[in-house]
Amino acid sequence: MVAVNNLRYHYPDGKTFIFNDLVCAAGEKMLVLGVSGSGKTSLLHLIAGILRPATGSIRINNTEITALSARTMDRFRGQNIGMIFQQHYFFHGMDVMENLVAAQKLSGSESDRQHLDNLMHEFGIFKLKNSKPTALSQGEQQRFSIARALANKPLLVLADEPTSSLDDRNCETFIDMIMKSTSSNKTGWVIASHDNRLKEHFDHVYGL
Amino acid sequence: MNMMYEFRLAFLQLTARASGSLISLLLFGIGIAMISFLILASKQIDDQVKRNLAGIDLVAGAKGSPLQLILSSVMHIDYPTGNISLAEADQLSRHPMIRETIPVALGDNHMGFRIVGTTLSYATLYEASLSEGVWHDKVLEVSLGYQAAKRTGLSLGDTFTGVHGFQTTGHSHDDHEYTVTGIMKRTGLVIDNLILTSVESVWKVHDQEYCDDHDHQHDHHHDHDHDHDHDCSDHHHDHHSGEYSIHHHNSGQNESMTEHHDHHHADMLGDIQKRVEAGEDISAEEMAIFQQHSTGVVSTPTTNDPEITALLIMYRGPAAAIQLPRHINENTNMQAASPALELHRLLSLLGYGFRTLKVLAWIIIIISAINVFIHLFNSLRQGLFELALMRVSGAGKGTIFVVVLLQGVFLAMGGWILGLFLSRGIWLVLPSLQVLPSAGLPGFHSAELLLLLYATIAGALAAAIPASMAYNTDVHFTLKNNGRI
């Protein structure tokens, strides 16, 4: 479903990254392991179309995203790729529900509140739907972030150091959630981390 | 994504930083309120002035400032320039170029509302009609303007006394009581604030106190229904140079004075004079009496001619406009002033003031725009990750630009709405502070719509730099650095 071939990226300062080829099938969960500065974030951003490669190909579900225009890429990303970050980002002026609706609306889709309700139930944040995200605990914020990444039923979720700020218990919960997640049965996961706690849970590990 | 959602995002981003947004809104509001108020005020003044001219072509009055003459006898806001002789005014009235004249005799007020001695033609001039009662007919009967009746609380049959001059406090003509016979409908014109009576009433109040015979003095106050006796040894009150607050009723220069207390004063005066000449001490009270009487002797000419304050003139034809003012100024003791000309002069003077205030208001709006810029710039720095999040969620660069630009526009439009409410609030409060006559809630002016356009442009310009910064936000860099620049 995601196939990366001969990918090369030039940093503005002249440094060049050459990435190994990567393939992640639908429903597969892949861990990208590497120390900081090894290019994990850059790889994720290349796959998300936030960065553009110097050479090489990135195919997502038979779409060659390196060939898409900037505007088409933004829209493609919104509709097909969910993202989770190390920090929990959200719109401060909106409550949990509105934040999830925003993820759908900004991608150009109509809002599907039934799906969002299901997601919030699944991740145990339904009761918090009218709270401001700032009022949520660390663990709740993490679950909110996962729910948002899945708001548009994406083909692919890209997570950048999702567990680095979590304690062991919350880290376990996170792994549990994404492993058992029923809403993401067909979603491929690419998780970039230097967190060795994750290593044992993944079959596919991509080294940088 | 439809445009409505961009509106919503912009709005939510503003409310997320409510205090900063509120300050921007208030600043815009104050600037807009000032301009809006100036628009309302200048329209109102312009309108009032034009409607109050009421077809009066020329005003003849005592020599002095022509503007003052118009303001006092047409707009009823300034002190009169003095009095003119009725005989001279009468003679002028018979001039072939004059179609109609209306006399105006001023002198007193009741609770700040001027008592105007005139003919009923004056009411016709302003198309005033009665809502209650009948027009005043006999001496010392009055018809009240709408506001005068409302504010004083006087109703039909009530009696009141005039206070000398145009201040609410001062010498009261307690000997003569006016009786209300009619109350006028609202006209929105100067007549609303006037108390109309006959010229004879004004004469009576001012002359009778010392030139009527004894019989009259003993008459009951409510009973002054006889005609005024003009051929009494009538020396007229002198109102030169607007000196109304010091009233010299007892200026006993008239030797034929029959009133007993004036005799008393006259005796006293002689006594005081002797003592002053002898170099003796006199009390403060005696001093006052002495000064009052001696000034009376000097400044009041002895004349048997009744006076009025001004004569309102309507021309018979356009040729009069050229010849009549010159005729009056050169051949009589009066001066002629054209209301249209003088008020135009006044409005153009006011125009300078309005323009200066408008410049000040625009400076406030420019400061508001700078404030919007600073507010959005700071929001952007603190909320960069929100922009990155929007991009990650599928929003294009253009959307981001629009969302930030809309915030500037919203602040300006919100400020405009706030400003319009503020200016109308001030407009409604001012009459109760007695700064402006009550004019009701003003309508919406097209100039204010233009103001919206300018404000929106200012808001959009202020937001343009933050918006283009947002447009160029490096999503990769922002996310990699956890939303910090």
Side-chain angles (χ1 to χ4, degrees):
Chain A
M1 196 212 37
V2 183
V4 173
N5 290 303
N6 300 319
L7 196 62
R8 232 174 236 264
Y9 178 69
H10 294 306
Y11 271 102
D13 61 9
K15 210 161 67 174
T16 303
F17 268 116
I18 303 171
F19 296 96
N20 297 329
D21 289 358
L22 177 150
V23 176
C24 178
E28 208 171 75
K29 295 175 176 71
M30 172 177 276
L31 182 66
V32 176
L33 262 185
V35 293
S36 56
S38 57
K40 295 189 300 289
T41 301
S42 298
L43 178 62
L44 292 190
H45 286 181
L46 283 164
I47 297 173
I50 293 169
L51 292 178
R52 292 305 179 112
T55 57
S57 124
I58 303 164
R59 296 184 77 80
I60 299 175
N61 230 18
N62 298 322
T63 305
E64 177 58 54
I65 65 158
T66 55
L68 297 178
S69 74
R71 183 69 198 100
T72 320
M73 185 62 236
D74 285 332
R75 186 151 287 220
F76 182 86
R77 176 172 58 242
Q79 288 178 346
N80 300 298
I81 301 172
M83 290 188 86
I84 299 171
F85 315 98
Q86 182 181 348
Q87 297 271 320
H88 304 302
Y89 297 134
F90 38 75
F91 299 115
H92 278 86
M94 307 178 183
D95 62 24
V96 167
M97 184 64 176
E98 283 176 311
N99 263 279
L100 297 178
V101 169
Q104 292 183 330
K105 290 263 195 179
L106 285 165
S107 73
S109 319
E110 280 306 303
S111 66
D112 176 358
R113 284 172 189 260
Q114 187 55 52
H115 176 58
L116 295 180
D117 282 352
N118 293 343
L119 277 174
M120 285 190 286
H121 277 301
E122 184 177 346
F123 293 99
I125 52 169
F126 187 76
K127 278 188 208 156
L128 302 167
K129 65 187 285 188
N130 294 321
S131 310
K132 285 278 155 73
T134 39
L136 271 52
S137 72
Q138 268 272 296
E140 286 163 347
Q141 286 190 357
Q142 180 70 303
R143 283 179 273 150
F144 159 73
S145 294
I146 302 167
R148 185 179 55 203
L150 297 171
N152 288 317
K153 301 176 186 168
L155 298 168
L156 181 67
V157 173
L158 303 171
D160 193 2
E161 301 277 11
T163 58
S164 66
S165 60
L166 298 181
D167 58 26
D168 287 352
R169 200 172 62 84
N170 277 323
C171 180
E172 283 296 322
T173 318
F174 172 74
I175 293 163
D176 245 35
M177 291 246 165
I178 66 165
M179 289 302 173
K180 291 179 187 159
S181 166
T182 48
S183 356
S184 55
N185 269 341
K186 288 187 177 145
T187 303
W189 286 74
V190 176
I191 299 160
S193 180
H194 69 279
D195 189 344
N196 286 317
R197 293 178 294 186
L198 297 177
K199 209 170 173 180
E200 53 187 282
H201 298 279
F202 290 85
D203 303 326
H204 305 273
V205 177
Y206 173 94
L208 270 170
Chain B
M1 191 180 68
N2 55 21
M3 193 67 181
M4 279 315 289
Y5 199 65
E6 287 163 14
F7 278 77
R8 183 157 168 72
L9 281 174
F11 183 75
L12 284 170
Q13 294 221 323
L14 286 177
T15 51
R17 277 165 255 279
S19 57
S21 303
L22 217 62
I23 290 170
S24 300
L25 209 64
L26 263 176
L27 264 174
F28 249 112
I30 292 168
I32 298 286
M34 272 184 75
I35 297 183
S36 160
F37 185 79
L38 290 174
I39 291 171
L40 294 182
S42 61
K43 295 254 183 209
Q44 167 81 4
I45 292 172
D46 217 48
D47 185 54
Q48 276 288 309
V49 162
K50 285 197 179 112
R51 291 178 60 208
N52 279 317
L53 290 184
I56 303 167
D57 292 316
L58 199 69
V59 177
K63 288 193 189 299
S65 152
L67 181 58
Q68 190 186 346
L69 175 60
I70 299 301
L71 288 179
S72 62
S73 55
V74 177
M75 305 304 287
H76 295 281
I77 42 180
D78 201 357
Y79 290 98
T81 47
N83 286 339
I84 55 174
S85 135
L86 180 65
E88 203 166 21
D90 270 346
Q91 199 186 352
L92 180 63
S93 298
R94 287 189 288 272
H95 194 281
M97 282 183 168
I98 292 175
R99 174 169 56 83
E100 190 190 352
T101 59
I102 300 172
V104 170
L106 302 171
D108 295 339
N109 79 91
H110 177 67
M111 288 172 72
F113 295 96
R114 294 187 175 200
I115 298 167
V116 181
T118 182
T119 60
L120 282 180
S121 306
Y122 188 82
T124 319
L125 204 58
Y126 292 100
E127 291 167 358
S129 54
L130 291 176
S131 61
E132 287 175 64
V134 292
W135 288 109
H136 58 276
D137 181 33
K138 297 166 185 154
V139 173
L140 287 175
E141 284 182 348
V142 298
S143 300
L144 301 179
Y146 175 80
Q147 288 291 341
K150 203 172 146 192
R151 295 281 184 91
T152 57
L154 289 169
S155 49
L156 296 181
D158 285 356
T159 58
F160 65 92
T161 56
V163 171
H164 199 71
F166 301 119
Q167 308 289 334
T168 46
T169 54
H171 175 85
S172 177
H173 293 290
D174 293 330
D175 296 344
H176 296 89
E177 283 193 320
Y178 290 105
T179 307
V180 179
T181 65
I183 292 169
M184 285 173 252
K185 287 182 190 156
R186 189 174 186 278
T187 62
L189 297 169
V190 67
I191 198 167
D192 285 353
N193 292 316
L194 299 180
I195 297 170
L196 297 189
T197 187
S198 59
V199 179
E200 288 78 10
S201 303
V202 175
W203 283 333
K204 185 180 187 93
V205 169
H206 289 91
D207 296 341
Q208 296 280 338
E209 283 173 73
Y210 46 91
C211 63
D212 253 3
D213 55 276
H214 271 291
D215 286 347
H216 176 72
Q217 286 298 323
H218 298 303
D219 266 353
H220 193 271
H221 285 153
H222 299 282
D223 212 4
H224 294 306
D225 53 354
H226 57 80
D227 280 329
H228 178 61
D229 185 14
H230 276 300
D231 50 16
C232 77
S233 55
D234 186 327
H235 72 280
H236 194 75
H237 240 73
D238 185 25
H239 291 322
H240 280 303
S241 64
E243 268 299 321
Y244 286 85
S245 48
I246 301 166
H247 192 39
H248 37 266
H249 292 281
N250 300 322
S251 40
Q253 83 281 12
N254 195 331
E255 293 306 320
S256 68
M257 191 68 67
T258 50
E259 224 175 310
H260 60 96
H261 72 261
D262 276 293
H263 276 305
H264 173 65
H265 272 178
D267 291 347
M268 256 179 87
L269 185 65
D271 181 45
I272 295 165
Q273 200 147 10
K274 272 178 212 153
R275 284 164 58 194
V276 170
E277 279 161 8
E280 286 174 47
D281 280 347
I282 51 170
S283 72
E285 194 197 352
E286 289 167 331
M287 186 63 165
I289 291 166
F290 177 73
Q291 282 182 339
Q292 221 173 41
H293 287 105
S294 47
T295 13
V297 172
V298 174
S299 69
T300 310
T302 305
T303 162
N304 293 330
D305 183 17
E307 292 180 321
I308 58 171
T309 309
L311 191 69
L312 310 181
I313 297 168
M314 269 63 74
Y315 295 150
R316 195 177 288 281
I322 304 152
Q323 295 184 23
L324 207 58
R326 203 189 322 149
H327 165 74
I328 294 169
N329 288 332
E330 285 174 4
N331 302 328
T332 69
N333 285 322
M334 300 180 283
Q335 72 159 333
S338 154
L341 226 63
E342 292 306 321
L343 291 174
H344 178 76
R345 206 157 62 88
L346 177 69
L347 288 182
S348 59
L349 285 173
L350 276 178
Y352 285 118
F354 279 142
R355 273 194 288 281
T356 312
L357 285 172
K358 260 187 188 161
V359 168
L360 189 70
W362 277 112
I363 290 172
I364 294 178
I365 287 182
I366 290 167
I367 292 171
S368 316
I370 293 170
N371 180 271
V372 166
F373 167 75
I374 293 169
H375 176 50
L376 294 182
F377 186 80
N378 282 334
S379 304
L380 199 67
R381 284 172 64 96
Q382 289 159 16
L384 215 53
F385 64 90
E386 291 199 12
L387 295 181
L389 189 60
M390 285 167 71
R391 292 294 310 282
V392 165
S393 304
K397 288 182 159 200
T399 304
I400 306 285
F401 182 86
V402 168
V403 166
V404 177
L405 199 71
L406 276 176
Q407 292 181 46
V409 171
F410 281 178
L411 287 174
M413 290 171 92
W416 179 76
I417 293 169
L418 181 71
L420 255 56
F421 274 107
L422 274 178
S423 68
R424 274 145 186 85
I426 297 168
W427 192 258
L428 290 181
V429 166
L430 277 188
S432 66
L433 301 177
Q434 312 240 309
V435 181
L436 273 177
S438 172
L441 195 63
F444 183 75
H445 291 291
S446 56
E448 290 177 321
L449 206 62
L450 204 63
L451 199 56
L452 173 64
L453 180 72
Y454 292 149
T456 308
I457 291 170
L461 281 178
I465 293 174
S468 56
M469 282 167 62
Y471 180 88
N472 291 313
T473 300
D474 185 336
V475 179
H476 167 69
F477 190 74
T478 307
L479 291 175
K480 209 176 148 79
N481 290 283
N482 295 326
R484 290 185 295 270
I485 293 179

